[in-house]
Amino acid sequence: LPGTIKEVHISNNRITSLGPPPSLPSLTLLDAGSNSLQSYPSLHSCPSLLRVSLSSNSLSSLSRLPDCLASLEMDANSLTGVLDLGGAPALASASFARNSLSGVVGVGARMLRLDVAENALRSLEGLFTDPAAEVQMKEFRARG
């Protein structure tokens, strides 16, 4: 792909891996939802990436997120355990509905919308890393 590309839409295919990405300095959006991805792609060669959609895949873990990422959709995957969002300072909107998460921690002050509905949540302890995050958040969904 050319380094000047801004958006990549590859949803609704049968892609199992994105492999090591080329340097895509202008990429702002990656939509790879409804595929068969089994591992979270490395996105650090995309310094301008703002929005990522990886819903409806077979992802079981989440690696480090790019610092600039503002929106992440990972609904309907195979995520388990406690999800730590502490390494995503710019994340303002995130959706992890319909997984098997037992908890979420490390939500930062910029988070405005978080959806963790239909998981196996056991606790919300440690949800917010900064007390200001509770005030700024506009929408939180955790219904079973």
Side-chain angles (χ1 to χ4, degrees), residues 18-34:
L18 293 180
S23 178
L24 298 172
S26 300
L27 187 68
T28 60
L29 176 123
L30 171 62
D31 180 0
S34 298

Side-chain angles (χ1 to χ4, degrees), residues 64-110:
R64 189 170 175 270
L65 299 171
D67 289 342
C68 58
L69 192 65
S71 176
L72 177 62
E73 296 175 6
M74 290 191 66
D75 298 330
N77 275 286
S78 301
L79 299 173
T80 60
V82 176
L83 179 66
D84 186 353
L85 295 176
L91 199 58
S93 177
S95 187
F96 300 95
R98 297 181 309 281
N99 280 284
S100 296
L101 296 170
S102 59
V104 180
V105 298
V107 174
R110 293 190 181 185

Side-chain angles (χ1 to χ4, degrees), residues 21-135:
S23 178
L24 298 172
S26 300
L27 187 68
T28 60
L29 176 123
L30 171 62
D31 180 0
S34 298
N35 277 291
S36 299
L37 293 174
Q38 296 178 3
S39 62
Y40 184 81
S42 173
L43 301 172
H44 294 288
S45 62
C46 308
S48 301
L49 194 58
L50 298 174
R51 297 182 298 160
V52 172
S53 177
L54 296 170
S55 294
S56 300
N57 278 287
S58 299
L59 300 169
S60 59
S61 65
L62 178 65
S63 16
R64 189 170 175 270
L65 299 171
D67 289 342
C68 58
L69 192 65
S71 176
L72 177 62
E73 296 175 6
M74 290 191 66
D75 298 330
N77 275 286
S78 301
L79 299 173
T80 60
V82 176
L83 179 66
D84 186 353
L85 295 176
L91 199 58
S93 177
S95 187
F96 300 95
R98 297 181 309 281
N99 280 284
S100 296
L101 296 170
S102 59
V104 180
V105 298
V107 174
R110 293 190 181 185
M111 184 69 74
L112 298 174
R113 180 187 165 276
L114 177 62
D115 187 347
V116 289
E118 299 180 47
N119 275 281
L121 298 178
R122 294 186 185 137
S123 171
L124 295 178
E125 188 174 333
L127 181 65
F128 298 105
T129 57
D130 180 347
E134 294 180 71
V135 176

